[in-house]
Amino acid sequence: MLSVKKLTFSYNKSPVLNNISFQVKPGEHLAIIGESGSGKSTLLKVLYGEYDLDEGHVFWKDQEVLGPKFNLVVGYDFMKYVAQEFDLMPFISVEENIGKFLSNFYPEEKKARTAELLEVVELTAFAKTKVKILSGGQKQRVALARALAKQPEIMLLDEPFSHIDNFKKQSLRRNVFKYLKAKNISCVVATHDKEDVLGFADKMIVLNQQQIVENNTPEHLFKNPKTPLVASFFGEFNLINNTLVYAHQLKVVNHSELKATVKTSYFKGHFYLIEAELNGKPVLFEYDKALASSEVVCLSVVK
Ligand code: ADP
Ligand code: MG
């Protein structure tokens, strides 16, 4: 398994990660979440051995992952990393990029493997297309497939679906995570998108101010958010009597002490998000219809 022990890292004295420890078991999926600039990408790069640590250790099984000072060629066969900025070979085709690191010694297997991965990332129709003319999202899918080509034991993915449009994103995400689970490949995903976490990640780490502030299952953290940071990751929320309450946990009832004056209704698909005022402070709740501005409604917390 991946063992991260008391890892501390800074870029030229400005600290980014401080005393980080966690583990990822074979086949387990871990999400790393945090605000922009919280160090998610840095953590993945450090796990990959791109930088030397100030302190601490990273192990995959018995092998220590070493930085450039001790390991001249960055990276190991058991681990693949898909960066936020992916570097592909622009002048060769999608299938050539995916198969680039596969041996030509077994042409039939290479062909089958490439075809399988093209299906996972839904690019079969683009097999012969030069990467140069692909969109950002399509390039991201090629980078994912290429990283999977040699069947790593662990994948490090940095915002892996961020460039992919909503039409493709949902099914692609399911394909990729299902594939990783089926092959028992461990996975560490840096993301700020709850859709990359819910339903897929076994565990979730929250980074804030250089440290891990939470390490638990997504379900536990969703149901028991202790800080606005965690709650805001999952959705709109309110602080009512010092308790974090998601917008969907505030219901309109016939009578209650909580009387809110409606300001704005936002159409959200299967519900409306209502912005209102409660005791002089803004409050957000969900309702199945739009409400008229200045209408007064009674609210109740239903958890
Ligand atoms: P995230 O991926 O969570 O947005 P990053 O890991 O990219 O965060 O960045 C964490 C912090 O490290 C930020 O303050 C960022 O400005 C800084 N940083 C990132 N890369 C470098 C670098 N190559 N040199 C110096 N500082 C960097
Ligand atoms: Mg990043």
Side-chain angles (χ1 to χ4, degrees):
M1 70 176 147
L2 181 76
S3 294
V4 178
K5 298 178 181 167
K6 300 188 171 176
L7 181 164
T8 294
F9 175 78
S10 46
Y11 291 106
N12 315 316
K13 304 268 181 292
S14 62
V16 179
L17 302 166
N18 183 9
N19 199 21
I20 301 284
S21 300
F22 62 89
Q23 296 187 329
V24 185
K25 297 188 193 109
E28 194 172 43
H29 289 189
L30 171 76
I32 297 173
I33 72 137
E35 291 176 308
S36 184
S38 60
K40 304 181 294 296
S41 295
T42 303
L43 177 54
L44 289 193
K45 286 177 187 168
V46 166
L47 296 182
Y48 190 59
E50 219 170 284
Y51 298 118
D52 294 302
L53 306 180
D54 298 348
E55 279 172 58
H57 300 274
V58 176
F59 283 92
W60 173 252
K61 297 177 179 166
D62 296 333
Q63 164 122 47
E64 181 156 16
V65 176
L66 298 168
K69 215 184 271 176
F70 305 97
N71 182 31
L72 283 180
V73 182
V74 172
Y76 297 86
D77 277 348
F78 55 81
M79 184 185 265
K80 282 281 172 270
Y81 163 58
V82 182
Q84 250 173 311
E85 329 76 35
F86 19 88
D87 70 300
L88 299 168
M89 311 281 287
F91 299 107
I92 62 173
S93 72
V94 167
E95 64 179 8
E96 285 165 326
N97 263 278
I98 294 174
K100 191 163 169 279
F101 300 114
L102 294 177
S103 167
N104 287 321
F105 209 72
Y106 307 100
E108 285 307 309
E109 272 153 56
K110 181 169 176 170
K111 215 169 128 188
R113 185 103 189 91
T114 307
E116 179 189 26
L117 291 167
L118 280 167
E119 252 173 62
V120 171
V121 298
E122 300 179 19
L123 281 177
T124 306
F126 292 86
K128 310 281 182 210
T129 307
K130 285 204 174 32
V131 160
K132 185 172 167 287
I133 65 160
L134 297 181
S135 72
Q138 289 168 329
K139 284 184 189 146
Q140 189 163 34
R141 283 144 65 190
V142 179
L144 275 168
R146 190 184 58 179
L148 286 168
K150 279 191 106 178
Q151 287 239 20
E153 295 174 55
I154 177 164
M155 281 279 268
L156 309 174
L157 302 174
D158 200 346
E159 313 222 359
F161 309 107
S162 57
H163 295 263
I164 295 161
D165 60 62
N166 270 330
F167 301 104
K168 272 267 176 290
K169 205 183 269 195
Q170 317 289 352
S171 71
L172 187 72
R173 199 186 264 131
R174 284 194 298 271
N175 281 358
V176 170
F177 286 129
K178 216 185 285 174
Y179 180 88
L180 292 171
K181 274 284 174 201
K183 305 276 177 180
N184 204 36
I185 299 171
S186 302
C187 172
V188 182
V189 187
T191 184
H192 53 239
D193 185 350
K194 68 173 189 291
E195 301 289 332
D196 290 342
V197 178
L198 294 174
F200 301 117
D202 301 302
K203 288 274 188 65
M204 171 176 147
I205 278 176
V206 183
L207 282 182
N208 191 32
Q209 305 203 321
Q210 296 129 40
Q211 292 186 321
I212 292 180
V213 292
E214 293 284 1
N215 179 358
N216 215 309
T217 63
E219 187 168 344
H220 179 85
L221 293 176
F222 174 79
K223 289 181 177 161
N224 309 280
K226 286 208 283 281
T227 56
L229 177 70
V230 174
S232 65
F233 177 71
F234 291 115
E236 301 281 5
F237 70 96
N238 307 284
L239 259 179
I240 294 178
N241 303 329
N242 280 328
T243 311
L244 286 163
V245 178
Y246 290 112
H248 71 265
Q249 294 174 324
L250 265 185
K251 305 280 184 211
V252 174
V253 292
N254 287 337
H255 306 283
S256 87
E257 299 288 293
L258 303 176
K259 291 190 174 35
T261 309
V262 172
K263 298 277 176 208
T264 316
S265 300
Y266 301 94
F267 176 64
K268 290 284 180 185
H270 63 284
F271 65 92
Y272 283 79
L273 180 71
I274 316 286
E275 203 171 48
E277 202 176 283
L278 178 71
N279 302 328
K281 291 202 193 109
V283 65
L284 292 162
F285 60 95
E286 292 180 8
Y287 197 57
D288 56 3
K289 291 193 286 275
L291 293 171
S293 180
S294 75
E295 185 174 338
V296 176
V297 291
C298 295
L299 297 174
S300 174
V301 177
V302 181
K303 287 206 177 181

